[in-house]
Amino acid sequence: MSNERLMSLLEEYADLEKRLADPAIHADQNTARRVGRRFAELSPIHKANGELEQVREDLEAARELSAEDAAFAAEAEELSARLPRLEERLAELLIPRDPNDAKDVILEIKAGEGGEESALFAGDLLRMYQRYAERHGWVTEVIEAQSSDMGGVKDVSVAIKTKGVPEGGNGVWSRLKWEGGVHRVQRVPVTESQGRIHTSAAGVLVLPEAEEVDVQIDANDLRIDVFRSSGPGGQSVNTTDSAVRITHLPTGVVVSCQNEKSQLQNREQAMRILRSRLLAHAQEAAAAEASDARKSQVRTVDRSERIRTYNFPQNRITDHRIGFTAYNLDLVLAGDVDGVLDALTEADRAARLAGDTELSRK
């Protein structure tokens, strides 16, 4: 393990502890939350190092006393056996982690090939993530949604947040970052009269939710258009120009919001999505410059570019990135997603221990 890195992180932990003890920091909730998240990220390292130092001290003392009392020899042997596990745990914690792990997310789901069936599947995915969030005590907020004629989802953006500071710095991103990609479904659509199994797909994009301090946006770089909100089939759902479309001219990123009743509210929601997309854009650009290994989450919603398949006839879910298969699709769609997410997290941990930067999320 890197002693220099350990000392640096312990010093940062001590500094953050002092900052959080100062009542003045809580006057700015955004700053307090950001500092609290970083403190939570470093807490496991501080705790593991403390345990390791204590065992080393106890072992030294037990060895000295064993010359006078044989009972201490057994204690020394037990303490000596604990050391490798504690050292391994600390070494694992010192591996650089994903800097976004403590963040909340904005999750976008888009229907792809398959028409109305794809939109219905996108709706199934939305409910799956909402139920998963509920299981973990997270808060979900639909920012923008376009429904299909049969009650499916053509396009939806939903914010998913932890309540307070996530334990150990493991926020929503640390779990849901694996979900970005093309999700393929195989089942008999409700629109199929012959009972034939169809294959369709929906795309999922997961963005770490950016705070204003994460991304600086120049107002001169924005083109803001307003228009009337529309519902399924394109019909107008109000008589005022409350819907907002924001174009970030330097990158060409376009965000539209029409769910809220006022133009101001739609603009604020659109800016939330825009900040997160620009943060992801900047991070992807930096990662691409350093390495070609990191792929974009969704290039096209093409069934052949799937990361996961949901097979209804066999009640099977398969994650193609790690070869994970389980026959509990009904439970997964009801929000029990931890099985596949745990497998992905463990595969990533093994990859990082082996020296790879991260599990590919192509």
Side-chain angles (χ1 to χ4, degrees):
M1 72 184 69
S2 170
N3 190 59
E4 182 178 341
R5 173 171 167 76
L6 173 61
M7 296 309 298
S8 175
L9 293 176
L10 292 176
E11 289 175 4
E12 183 183 358
Y13 175 89
D15 178 64
L16 293 171
E17 191 173 34
K18 290 179 182 178
R19 292 183 66 185
L20 288 171
D22 183 354
I25 194 175
H26 299 287
D28 184 343
Q29 288 301 309
N30 289 332
T31 299
R33 181 174 171 84
R34 189 168 61 255
V35 172
R37 281 179 170 178
R38 181 58 177 164
F39 182 77
E41 288 180 21
L42 297 180
S43 292
I45 294 175
H46 178 266
K47 180 180 178 181
N49 182 69
E51 291 179 357
L52 179 58
E53 288 186 341
Q54 186 62 56
V55 168
R56 284 173 173 166
E57 290 177 10
D58 292 345
L59 175 59
E60 184 178 353
R63 282 174 172 168
E64 291 178 0
L65 293 170
S66 63
E68 303 174 7
D69 188 339
F72 286 103
E75 182 179 345
E77 186 176 343
E78 179 185 345
L79 291 169
S80 181
R82 288 179 59 191
L83 271 180
R85 293 194 299 271
L86 292 172
E87 289 171 343
E88 182 181 350
R89 170 64 176 158
L90 183 57
E92 183 179 327
L93 289 170
L94 288 175
I95 297 173
R97 63 184 292 170
D98 187 328
N100 293 319
D101 271 354
K103 288 185 177 292
D104 298 321
V105 308
I106 291 179
L107 187 145
E108 301 180 9
I109 306 172
K110 301 178 185 295
E113 292 184 8
E116 189 65 42
E117 163 62 7
S118 177
L120 291 170
F121 176 55
D124 291 337
L125 291 177
L126 172 61
R127 286 183 288 276
M128 178 182 77
Y129 293 124
Q130 289 174 322
R131 290 163 180 165
Y132 181 74
E134 184 178 351
R135 284 170 175 254
H136 286 264
W138 298 339
V139 178
T140 60
E141 172 196 1
V142 175
I143 299 175
E144 172 71 1
Q146 296 181 33
S147 301
S148 68
D149 293 333
M150 294 183 64
V153 173
K154 292 180 180 178
D155 193 344
V156 62
S157 298
V158 55
I160 306 179
K161 296 176 172 290
T162 58
K163 295 179 180 178
V165 175
E167 183 178 353
N170 295 313
V172 181
W173 172 264
S174 71
R175 295 300 283 170
L176 294 187
K177 60 185 174 182
W178 314 116
E179 296 305 284
V182 176
H183 296 238
R184 183 177 67 174
V185 62
Q186 296 172 327
R187 65 182 176 187
V188 179
V190 295
T191 55
E192 170 59 52
S193 60
Q194 303 298 319
R196 294 173 296 187
I197 296 174
H198 286 226
T199 298
S200 60
V204 175
L205 181 66
V206 187
L207 305 170
E209 179 156 13
E211 300 175 36
E212 291 190 28
V213 296
D214 294 327
V215 179
Q216 299 297 321
I217 301 177
D218 188 337
N220 295 323
D221 289 338
L222 302 179
R223 185 179 73 234
I224 301 177
D225 302 307
V226 295
F227 55 97
R228 292 186 181 180
S229 301
S230 60
Q235 70 267 30
S236 177
V237 296
N238 65 30
T239 57
T240 61
D241 292 335
S242 61
V244 174
R245 180 187 302 108
I246 300 179
T247 304
H248 186 249
L249 299 174
T251 61
V253 174
V254 180
V255 177
S256 298
C257 275
Q258 61 177 15
N259 273 28
E260 304 297 335
K261 294 181 179 179
S262 77
Q263 186 181 123
L264 178 61
Q265 290 173 314
N266 280 320
R267 177 169 175 163
E268 290 175 349
Q269 298 287 45
M271 286 298 294
R272 286 178 65 186
I273 300 175
L274 179 62
R275 276 194 296 270
S276 295
R277 288 190 184 177
L278 291 179
L279 175 63
H281 185 275
Q283 292 175 340
E284 287 289 341
E289 186 175 338
S291 170
D292 293 329
R294 190 170 184 177
K295 306 292 195 302
S296 60
Q297 293 185 55
V298 182
R299 293 185 293 276
T300 60
V301 186
D302 183 332
R303 290 171 297 189
S304 65
E305 292 187 352
R306 83 286 188 209
I307 62 165
R308 190 176 298 156
T309 295
Y310 303 73
N311 184 293
F312 276 69
Q314 298 178 16
N315 197 36
R316 170 173 56 83
I317 179 170
T318 299
D319 194 287
H320 304 285
R321 293 165 292 184
I322 57 173
F324 174 92
T325 295
Y327 293 87
N328 62 343
L329 176 56
D330 53 339
L331 297 178
V332 170
L333 291 175
D336 187 6
V337 194
D338 276 323
V340 62
L341 295 182
D342 286 344
L344 286 160
T345 300
E346 177 57 28
D348 177 64
R349 186 190 72 85
R352 288 187 294 112
L353 285 173
D356 295 336
T357 54
E358 63 175 333
L359 178 70
S360 173
R361 295 196 303 275
K362 64 183 179 179

